[in-house]
Coordinates of all heavy atoms in Angstrom, one line a residue:
M1 N 119.2 100.6 103.3 CA 118.5 99.6 102.4 C 117.0 99.8 102.5 O 116.5 99.9 103.6 CB 119.0 98.2 102.8 CG 118.4 97.2 101.9 SD 119.1 95.6 102.4 CE 118.1 94.5 101.6
H2 N 116.3 99.8 101.4 CA 114.9 100.0 101.4 C 114.2 98.7 101.8 O 114.4 97.7 101.2 CB 114.5 100.5 100.0 CG 113.0 100.6 99.9 ND1 112.2 101.5 100.5 CD2 112.1 99.9 99.1 CE1 111.0 101.4 100.2 NE2 110.9 100.4 99.3
N3 N 113.3 98.8 102.7 CA 112.5 97.6 103.1 C 111.2 97.6 102.2 O 110.4 98.5 102.3 CB 112.1 97.7 104.6 CG 111.4 96.5 105.0 OD1 111.1 95.5 104.3 ND2 111.0 96.5 106.3
P4 N 111.0 96.6 101.4 CA 109.9 96.6 100.5 C 108.6 96.2 101.2 O 107.5 96.2 100.6 CB 110.2 95.5 99.5 CG 111.1 94.6 100.2 CD 111.9 95.4 101.2
Y5 N 108.6 95.9 102.5 CA 107.4 95.5 103.2 C 106.9 96.5 104.2 O 107.7 97.2 104.8 CB 107.7 94.2 104.0 CG 108.0 93.0 103.1 CD1 109.3 92.6 102.8 CD2 107.0 92.3 102.4 CE1 109.6 91.5 102.0 CE2 107.2 91.3 101.6 CZ 108.5 90.9 101.3 OH 108.8 89.8 100.5
I6 N 105.6 96.5 104.4 CA 105.0 97.2 105.5 C 104.4 96.2 106.4 O 103.7 95.3 106.0 CB 103.9 98.1 104.9 CG1 104.4 99.2 104.0 CG2 103.1 98.8 106.1 CD1 103.4 99.9 103.2
E7 N 104.8 96.3 107.7 CA 104.3 95.3 108.7 C 103.0 95.8 109.3 O 102.8 96.9 109.7 CB 105.3 95.1 109.8 CG 106.6 94.4 109.3 CD 107.6 94.1 110.4 OE1 107.4 94.7 111.5 OE2 108.5 93.3 110.2
V8 N 102.0 94.9 109.2 CA 100.6 95.2 109.6 C 100.3 94.3 110.8 O 100.5 93.1 110.7 CB 99.6 95.0 108.5 CG1 98.2 95.3 109.0 CG2 99.9 95.8 107.3
D9 N 99.8 94.9 111.9 CA 99.5 94.1 113.1 C 98.1 93.5 112.9 O 97.1 94.3 112.8 CB 99.5 95.1 114.3 CG 99.2 94.4 115.6 OD1 99.3 93.2 115.7 OD2 98.8 95.1 116.6
L10 N 98.0 92.2 112.9 CA 96.7 91.5 112.7 C 96.4 90.5 113.7 O 97.4 89.8 114.1 CB 96.7 90.9 111.3 CG 96.7 91.8 110.1 CD1 96.8 90.9 108.8 CD2 95.6 92.7 110.0
T11 N 95.2 90.4 114.1 CA 94.8 89.3 115.1 C 94.5 88.1 114.2 O 94.4 88.1 113.0 CB 93.5 89.7 115.8 OG1 92.4 89.8 114.8 CG2 93.6 91.0 116.5
P12 N 94.4 86.9 114.9 CA 94.1 85.7 114.2 C 92.8 85.8 113.4 O 92.7 85.3 112.2 CB 94.0 84.6 115.2 CG 94.9 85.1 116.3 CD 94.7 86.6 116.3
G13 N 91.8 86.4 113.9 CA 90.5 86.6 113.2 C 90.7 87.5 112.0 O 90.1 87.2 110.9
E14 N 91.5 88.5 112.1 CA 91.7 89.4 110.9 C 92.5 88.7 109.9 O 92.2 88.9 108.7 CB 92.5 90.7 111.4 CG 91.6 91.6 112.2 CD 92.4 92.7 112.9 OE1 93.6 92.6 113.1 OE2 91.8 93.7 113.2
K15 N 93.5 87.9 110.3 CA 94.2 87.1 109.3 C 93.3 86.1 108.5 O 93.4 86.0 107.3 CB 95.4 86.3 110.0 CG 96.5 87.2 110.5 CD 97.6 86.6 111.3 CE 97.8 85.1 111.3 NZ 98.9 84.7 112.1
K16 N 92.4 85.6 109.3 CA 91.4 84.6 108.6 C 90.5 85.4 107.6 O 90.2 84.9 106.5 CB 90.5 84.0 109.7 CG 89.6 83.0 109.2 CD 88.8 82.4 110.3 CE 87.7 81.4 109.7 NZ 86.9 80.8 110.8
L17 N 90.1 86.6 108.0 CA 89.3 87.4 107.0 C 90.0 87.7 105.8 O 89.5 87.6 104.7 CB 88.8 88.7 107.7 CG 87.6 88.5 108.7 CD1 87.4 89.9 109.4 CD2 86.4 88.0 108.0
V18 N 91.3 88.1 105.9 CA 92.1 88.4 104.7 C 92.2 87.1 103.9 O 92.1 87.2 102.6 CB 93.5 88.9 105.2 CG1 94.5 89.0 104.0 CG2 93.4 90.2 105.8
M19 N 92.5 86.0 104.5 CA 92.7 84.8 103.7 C 91.3 84.3 103.1 O 91.3 83.7 102.0 CB 93.2 83.7 104.6 CG 94.7 83.9 105.0 SD 95.8 84.1 103.6 CE 95.8 82.5 102.9
E20 N 90.2 84.7 103.7 CA 88.9 84.3 103.2 C 88.4 85.2 102.0 O 87.9 84.7 101.1 CB 87.9 84.3 104.3 CG 86.5 83.9 103.9 CD 85.5 84.0 105.0 OE1 85.9 84.1 106.2 OE2 84.3 84.0 104.7
F21 N 88.7 86.5 102.2 CA 88.1 87.4 101.2 C 89.1 88.0 100.2 O 88.7 88.6 99.2 CB 87.4 88.6 102.0 CG 86.1 88.2 102.7 CD1 86.1 87.9 104.0 CD2 85.0 87.9 101.9 CE1 85.0 87.5 104.7 CE2 83.8 87.5 102.6 CZ 83.8 87.3 103.9
A22 N 90.4 87.9 100.4 CA 91.3 88.5 99.5 C 92.6 87.6 99.3 O 93.7 88.1 99.1 CB 91.8 89.8 100.0
P23 N 92.4 86.3 99.2 CA 93.6 85.4 99.0 C 94.3 85.6 97.7 O 95.5 85.4 97.6 CB 93.0 84.0 99.2 CG 91.6 84.1 98.7 CD 91.2 85.5 99.2
W24 N 93.6 86.0 96.7 CA 94.2 86.1 95.3 C 95.1 87.3 95.2 O 95.8 87.4 94.2 CB 93.1 86.1 94.2 CG 91.9 86.8 94.6 CD1 91.6 88.1 94.5 CD2 90.8 86.3 95.3 NE1 90.4 88.4 95.0 CE2 89.9 87.3 95.5 CE3 90.5 85.0 95.8 CZ2 88.6 87.1 96.2 CZ3 89.3 84.8 96.4 CH2 88.4 85.9 96.6
F25 N 95.1 88.2 96.2 CA 96.0 89.4 96.2 C 97.2 89.1 97.1 O 98.1 90.0 97.2 CB 95.3 90.6 96.6 CG 94.2 91.0 95.7 CD1 92.9 90.9 96.0 CD2 94.5 91.5 94.4 CE1 91.9 91.3 95.1 CE2 93.6 91.8 93.5 CZ 92.2 91.7 93.9
I26 N 97.3 87.9 97.7 CA 98.5 87.6 98.5 C 99.4 86.7 97.7 O 99.4 85.5 97.9 CB 98.0 86.9 99.8 CG1 96.9 87.7 100.5 CG2 99.2 86.7 100.8 CD1 97.2 89.1 100.9
M27 N 100.1 87.2 96.8 CA 101.0 86.4 95.9 C 102.4 86.3 96.5 O 103.2 85.4 96.2 CB 101.1 87.1 94.5 CG 99.8 87.1 93.8 SD 99.2 85.5 93.6 CE 97.7 85.8 92.7
D28 N 102.8 87.2 97.4 CA 104.2 87.2 97.9 C 104.3 86.1 98.9 O 103.5 85.9 99.8 CB 104.4 88.6 98.6 CG 105.9 88.7 99.1 OD1 106.8 88.8 98.2 OD2 106.1 88.6 100.3
P29 N 105.4 85.2 98.7 CA 105.5 84.0 99.6 C 105.8 84.4 101.0 O 105.4 83.7 102.0 CB 106.7 83.3 99.0 CG 107.3 84.1 97.9 CD 106.3 85.2 97.6
V30 N 106.4 85.6 101.3 CA 106.7 86.0 102.6 C 105.4 86.3 103.3 O 105.1 85.9 104.5 CB 107.6 87.3 102.6 CG1 107.7 87.9 104.0 CG2 109.0 86.9 102.1
T31 N 104.5 87.0 102.6 CA 103.2 87.4 103.2 C 102.3 86.1 103.5 O 101.7 86.0 104.5 CB 102.4 88.4 102.3 OG1 103.3 89.5 102.0 CG2 101.1 88.8 102.9
Q32 N 102.4 85.2 102.5 CA 101.6 84.0 102.7 C 102.1 83.2 103.9 O 101.3 82.7 104.7 CB 101.8 83.1 101.4 CG 101.0 83.6 100.2 CD 101.3 82.8 99.0 OE1 102.1 81.8 99.0 NE2 100.6 83.1 97.9
M33 N 103.4 83.1 104.0 CA 104.0 82.4 105.2 C 103.6 83.1 106.5 O 103.2 82.4 107.5 CB 105.5 82.4 105.0 CG 106.2 81.5 106.0 SD 108.0 81.3 105.7 CE 108.5 83.0 105.6
D34 N 103.6 84.4 106.5 CA 103.3 85.1 107.7 C 101.8 84.9 108.1 O 101.5 84.7 109.3 CB 103.5 86.6 107.6 CG 105.0 87.0 107.6 OD1 105.8 86.2 107.9 OD2 105.2 88.2 107.4
L35 N 100.9 84.9 107.1 CA 99.5 84.7 107.3 C 99.2 83.3 107.8 O 98.3 83.1 108.6 CB 98.7 85.1 106.1 CG 98.5 86.5 105.7 CD1 97.9 86.7 104.3 CD2 97.6 87.2 106.8
K36 N 99.9 82.4 107.4 CA 99.6 81.0 107.7 C 100.3 80.6 109.1 O 99.9 79.6 109.7 CB 100.2 80.0 106.7 CG 99.4 80.1 105.4 CD 99.9 79.3 104.3 CE 99.1 79.5 103.0 NZ 99.8 78.7 101.9
N37 N 101.2 81.4 109.6 CA 101.8 81.1 110.9 C 100.9 81.6 112.0 O 100.7 82.8 112.1 CB 103.2 81.8 110.9 CG 103.9 81.6 112.2 OD1 103.4 81.1 113.2 ND2 105.2 81.9 112.2
P38 N 100.3 80.7 112.8 CA 99.4 81.2 113.8 C 100.1 82.0 115.0 O 99.4 82.7 115.7 CB 98.9 79.8 114.4 CG 99.8 78.8 114.0 CD 100.5 79.3 112.8
R39 N 101.4 81.9 115.1 CA 102.1 82.7 116.1 C 102.5 84.1 115.7 O 102.9 84.9 116.5 CB 103.3 81.9 116.6 CG 102.9 80.6 117.3 CD 104.1 79.8 117.7 NE 104.9 80.7 118.6 CZ 105.1 80.5 119.9 NH1 104.5 79.4 120.4 NH2 105.8 81.3 120.6
K40 N 102.5 84.3 114.4 CA 102.9 85.6 113.8 C 101.9 86.7 113.9 O 100.7 86.5 113.5 CB 103.3 85.4 112.3 CG 103.9 86.5 111.7 CD 105.4 86.4 111.9 CE 106.1 87.5 110.9 NZ 107.4 87.8 111.3
K41 N 102.2 87.8 114.5 CA 101.3 88.9 114.7 C 101.5 90.0 113.7 O 100.6 90.6 113.3 CB 101.5 89.4 116.2 CG 100.6 90.5 116.5 CD 100.7 91.0 118.0 CE 99.8 92.1 118.2 NZ 99.7 92.5 119.6
W42 N 102.7 90.3 113.4 CA 103.1 91.4 112.5 C 103.3 90.7 111.1 O 104.2 90.0 110.9 CB 104.3 92.1 112.9 CG 104.0 93.0 114.1 CD1 104.2 92.6 115.4 CD2 103.5 94.3 114.1 NE1 103.8 93.6 116.2 CE2 103.4 94.6 115.5 CE3 103.1 95.2 113.2 CZ2 102.9 95.9 115.9 CZ3 102.6 96.4 113.6 CH2 102.5 96.7 114.9
I43 N 102.3 91.0 110.2 CA 102.3 90.4 108.9 C 103.0 91.4 107.9 O 102.6 92.6 107.8 CB 100.9 90.1 108.4 CG1 100.2 89.3 109.6 CG2 100.9 89.3 107.1 CD1 100.8 88.1 110.0
R44 N 103.9 90.9 107.1 CA 104.6 91.7 106.1 C 103.8 91.7 104.8 O 103.6 90.7 104.2 CB 106.0 91.2 105.9 CG 106.9 91.4 107.2 CD 108.2 90.6 107.0 NE 107.9 89.2 107.2 CZ 108.8 88.3 107.2 NH1 110.1 88.6 107.1 NH2 108.5 87.0 107.3
F45 N 103.5 92.9 104.3 CA 102.8 93.1 103.0 C 103.6 94.1 102.2 O 104.2 95.0 102.7 CB 101.4 93.7 103.2 CG 100.4 92.8 103.8 CD1 100.2 92.7 105.2 CD2 99.5 92.1 103.0 CE1 99.2 91.9 105.7 CE2 98.5 91.3 103.5 CZ 98.4 91.2 104.9
K46 N 103.6 93.8 100.9 CA 104.1 94.8 100.0 C 103.0 95.9 99.8 O 101.8 95.7 99.9 CB 104.4 94.2 98.6 CG 105.6 93.3 98.7 CD 106.3 93.0 97.4 CE 107.5 92.2 97.7 NZ 108.2 91.9 96.5
A47 N 103.5 97.2 99.6 CA 102.5 98.3 99.5 C 101.4 98.1 98.5 O 100.2 98.4 98.8 CB 103.3 99.6 99.2
G48 N 101.7 97.6 97.4 CA 100.7 97.4 96.3 C 99.7 96.3 96.8 O 98.5 96.4 96.4
A49 N 100.1 95.3 97.5 CA 99.2 94.3 98.0 C 98.2 94.9 99.0 O 97.0 94.5 99.1 CB 99.9 93.1 98.6
I50 N 98.7 95.8 99.9 CA 97.8 96.5 100.8 C 96.7 97.2 100.1 O 95.5 97.1 100.5 CB 98.6 97.4 101.8 CG1 99.5 96.6 102.7 CG2 97.7 98.3 102.5 CD1 100.3 97.4 103.7
Y51 N 97.0 97.9 99.1 CA 96.0 98.7 98.3 C 95.0 97.7 97.7 O 93.8 98.0 97.8 CB 96.7 99.4 97.2 CG 95.8 100.2 96.3 CD1 95.2 101.4 96.7 CD2 95.5 99.6 95.0 CE1 94.4 102.0 95.8 CE2 94.7 100.3 94.2 CZ 94.1 101.5 94.6 OH 93.2 102.2 93.7
E52 N 95.4 96.6 97.2 CA 94.5 95.6 96.6 C 93.6 94.9 97.7 O 92.5 94.7 97.4 CB 95.3 94.5 95.8 CG 96.1 95.1 94.6 CD 95.2 95.6 93.5 OE1 94.0 95.2 93.4 OE2 95.6 96.4 92.7
V53 N 94.2 94.6 98.8 CA 93.5 94.0 99.9 C 92.4 94.9 100.4 O 91.2 94.5 100.6 CB 94.4 93.5 101.0 CG1 93.6 93.1 102.3 CG2 95.3 92.4 100.6
I54 N 92.7 96.2 100.5 CA 91.7 97.2 101.0 C 90.5 97.2 100.0 O 89.4 97.2 100.4 CB 92.3 98.6 101.1 CG1 93.3 98.7 102.2 CG2 91.2 99.7 101.2 CD1 94.2 99.9 102.3
G55 N 90.8 97.2 98.7 CA 89.8 97.3 97.7 C 88.9 96.0 97.7 O 87.7 96.1 97.6
E56 N 89.5 94.9 97.9 CA 88.7 93.6 97.9 C 87.9 93.5 99.2 O 86.7 93.1 99.2 CB 89.7 92.4 97.8 CG 89.0 91.2 97.5 CD 88.3 91.1 96.2 OE1 88.6 91.9 95.3 OE2 87.4 90.2 96.0
L57 N 88.4 93.9 100.3 CA 87.6 93.9 101.6 C 86.5 94.9 101.5 O 85.4 94.6 101.9 CB 88.5 94.3 102.8 CG 89.6 93.3 103.1 CD1 90.5 93.9 104.2 CD2 89.0 92.0 103.6
S58 N 86.7 96.1 100.9 CA 85.6 97.1 100.7 C 84.6 96.5 99.7 O 83.4 96.7 100.0 CB 86.2 98.4 100.1 OG 87.1 98.9 101.0
Y59 N 85.0 95.8 98.7 CA 84.0 95.2 97.8 C 83.1 94.3 98.5 O 81.9 94.4 98.4 CB 84.8 94.5 96.6 CG 83.9 93.7 95.7 CD1 83.3 94.3 94.7 CD2 83.7 92.3 96.0 CE1 82.4 93.5 93.8 CE2 82.9 91.6 95.1 CZ 82.3 92.2 94.1 OH 81.4 91.5 93.2
H60 N 83.7 93.4 99.3 CA 82.8 92.4 100.0 C 82.0 93.1 101.1 O 80.9 92.7 101.4 CB 83.7 91.3 100.6 CG 84.2 90.4 99.5 ND1 83.5 89.5 98.9 CD2 85.5 90.3 99.0 CE1 84.2 88.8 98.0 NE2 85.4 89.3 98.1
C61 N 82.6 94.1 101.7 CA 81.9 94.8 102.8 C 80.6 95.5 102.2 O 79.5 95.4 102.8 CB 82.8 95.9 103.4 SG 82.0 96.9 104.6
N62 N 80.7 96.0 101.0 CA 79.5 96.7 100.4 C 78.5 95.7 99.9 O 77.3 96.1 99.7 CB 80.0 97.6 99.2 CG 80.8 98.8 99.7 OD1 80.6 99.2 100.8 ND2 81.7 99.2 98.8
R63 N 78.8 94.5 99.8 CA 77.8 93.5 99.3 C 77.5 92.4 100.3 O 76.8 91.5 100.0 CB 78.5 92.8 98.1 CG 78.4 93.7 96.9 CD 79.5 93.3 95.9 NE 79.5 94.3 94.8 CZ 80.1 95.5 94.8 NH1 80.7 95.9 95.9 NH2 80.1 96.3 93.7
C64 N 77.9 92.6 101.6 CA 77.6 91.7 102.6 C 76.2 91.8 103.2 O 75.7 92.9 103.4 CB 78.7 91.9 103.7 SG 78.7 90.6 105.0
R65 N 75.6 90.7 103.5 CA 74.2 90.7 104.0 C 74.2 90.7 105.6 O 73.3 91.0 106.2 CB 73.4 89.6 103.5 CG 73.2 89.7 102.0 CD 72.4 88.5 101.5 NE 72.4 88.5 100.1 CZ 71.2 88.7 99.4 NH1 70.1 88.8 100.0 NH2 71.2 88.7 98.1
S66 N 75.3 90.2 106.1 CA 75.5 90.2 107.6 C 76.0 91.5 108.1 O 77.1 91.9 107.7 CB 76.4 89.0 108.0 OG 76.8 89.1 109.3
V67 N 75.3 92.1 109.0 CA 75.8 93.4 109.6 C 77.1 93.2 110.4 O 78.0 94.0 110.3 CB 74.7 94.0 110.5 CG1 75.2 95.3 111.2 CG2 73.5 94.4 109.6
Y68 N 77.1 92.1 111.1 CA 78.3 91.8 111.9 C 79.6 91.6 111.0 O 80.6 92.3 111.2 CB 78.1 90.5 112.7 CG 79.4 90.1 113.4 CD1 79.8 90.7 114.6 CD2 80.1 89.0 113.0 CE1 80.9 90.3 115.3 CE2 81.3 88.6 113.7 CZ 81.7 89.3 114.8 OH 82.8 88.9 115.5
K69 N 79.4 90.8 109.9 CA 80.6 90.6 109.0 C 80.9 91.9 108.3 O 82.1 92.2 108.0 CB 80.3 89.5 108.0 CG 81.5 89.1 107.3 CD 81.3 87.8 106.6 CE 81.6 86.6 107.5 NZ 81.7 85.3 106.9
Q70 N 79.9 92.7 107.9 CA 80.1 94.0 107.3 C 80.9 94.9 108.2 O 81.9 95.5 107.7 CB 78.8 94.6 107.0 CG 78.9 95.9 106.2 CD 77.5 96.5 105.9 OE1 76.5 96.3 106.6 NE2 77.4 97.2 104.8
D71 N 80.6 94.9 109.5 CA 81.3 95.8 110.4 C 82.8 95.3 110.5 O 83.7 96.1 110.6 CB 80.7 95.8 111.8 CG 79.4 96.6 111.8 OD1 79.1 97.4 110.9 OD2 78.6 96.4 112.8
M72 N 83.0 94.0 110.6 CA 84.3 93.4 110.7 C 85.2 93.7 109.4 O 86.3 94.1 109.6 CB 84.2 91.9 110.8 CG 83.6 91.4 112.1 SD 84.6 91.8 113.6 CE 86.0 90.7 113.3
L73 N 84.6 93.6 108.3 CA 85.3 93.9 107.0 C 85.6 95.4 106.9 O 86.7 95.8 106.5 CB 84.5 93.5 105.8 CG 84.4 91.9 105.6 CD1 83.3 91.6 104.5 CD2 85.7 91.3 105.3
D74 N 84.7 96.2 107.3 CA 84.9 97.7 107.3 C 86.0 98.1 108.3 O 86.9 98.9 107.9 CB 83.6 98.4 107.6 CG 83.7 99.9 107.6 OD1 84.3 100.4 106.5 OD2 83.3 100.6 108.5
A75 N 86.0 97.5 109.5 CA 87.0 97.8 110.4 C 88.4 97.4 109.9 O 89.4 98.1 110.1 CB 86.7 97.2 111.8
L76 N 88.5 96.2 109.3 CA 89.7 95.7 108.8 C 90.2 96.5 107.7 O 91.4 96.8 107.6 CB 89.6 94.2 108.4 CG 90.8 93.5 108.0 CD1 91.9 93.6 109.0 CD2 90.5 92.0 107.6
A77 N 89.4 96.9 106.8 CA 89.8 97.8 105.7 C 90.3 99.1 106.2 O 91.4 99.6 105.7 CB 88.6 98.0 104.7
S78 N 89.7 99.7 107.2 CA 90.2 100.9 107.8 C 91.5 100.7 108.5 O 92.4 101.6 108.5 CB 89.2 101.4 108.8 OG 88.0 101.8 108.2
H79 N 91.7 99.6 109.1 CA 93.0 99.2 109.8 C 94.1 99.2 108.7 O 95.2 99.8 108.9 CB 92.8 97.9 110.5 CG 94.0 97.4 111.2 ND1 94.5 98.1 112.3 CD2 94.8 96.4 111.0 CE1 95.5 97.5 112.8 NE2 95.8 96.4 112.0
F80 N 93.8 98.6 107.6 CA 94.8 98.5 106.5 C 95.1 99.9 106.0 O 96.2 100.2 105.6 CB 94.4 97.6 105.4 CG 94.8 96.2 105.5 CD1 93.9 95.2 106.0 CD2 96.1 95.8 105.2 CE1 94.3 93.9 106.2 CE2 96.5 94.4 105.4 CZ 95.6 93.5 105.8
E81 N 94.1 100.7 105.9 CA 94.2 102.1 105.3 C 95.2 102.9 106.2 O 96.0 103.7 105.7 CB 92.9 102.8 105.2 CG 92.1 102.3 104.1 CD 90.7 102.9 104.0 OE1 90.2 103.6 105.0 OE2 90.0 102.7 103.0
S82 N 95.1 102.7 107.5 CA 96.0 103.4 108.4 C 97.5 103.1 108.2 O 98.4 103.9 108.3 CB 95.6 103.2 109.9 OG 96.0 101.9 110.3
Y83 N 97.7 101.8 107.8 CA 99.1 101.4 107.5 C 99.5 101.9 106.1 O 100.7 102.2 105.8 CB 99.2 99.9 107.6 CG 99.3 99.4 109.0 CD1 98.2 99.0 109.7 CD2 100.5 99.4 109.7 CE1 98.2 98.5 111.0 CE2 100.6 99.0 111.0 CZ 99.5 98.5 111.6 OH 99.5 98.1 112.9
E84 N 98.5 101.9 105.2 CA 98.9 102.4 103.8 C 99.3 103.8 103.8 O 100.2 104.2 103.1 CB 97.6 102.2 102.9 CG 97.9 102.6 101.5 CD 96.7 102.6 100.6 OE1 95.6 103.0 101.1 OE2 96.8 102.2 99.4
K85 N 98.7 104.6 104.7 CA 99.1 106.0 104.7 C 100.5 106.3 105.3 O 101.0 107.3 105.1 CB 98.0 106.8 105.6 CG 96.7 106.8 105.0 CD 95.6 107.5 105.8 CE 94.3 107.4 105.2 NZ 93.2 107.8 106.0
R86 N 101.0 105.3 106.0 CA 102.3 105.4 106.6 C 103.5 105.2 105.6 O 104.6 105.6 105.9 CB 102.5 104.4 107.7 CG 101.6 104.7 108.9 CD 101.8 103.6 109.9 NE 100.7 103.7 110.9 CZ 100.5 102.9 111.9 NH1 101.4 101.9 112.1 NH2 99.5 103.0 112.7
K87 N 103.2 104.6 104.5 CA 104.3 104.3 103.5 C 105.0 105.4 103.0 O 104.7 106.5 103.0 CB 103.8 103.4 102.4 CG 102.8 104.1 101.5 CD 102.4 103.1 100.4 CE 101.4 103.8 99.5 NZ 101.0 103.2 98.4

């Protein structure tokens, strides 16, 4: 049976960044539930959602005025890219 989800290992801070900068690409109820659960570490994303989240994080990273936040967004986008390549 084909699993439609890719599990991404995220810290609480990374989950917060995803919810802050790319919430409109998290339409799947399973992913929303995983992101809102503070005890959940492995978040299930559909492959298409990962692609969209990477794009949105990159968009905000390129327009960010804070070097710290820019580095955080860039690292998170790269983290998602490593999972996208595994699909």
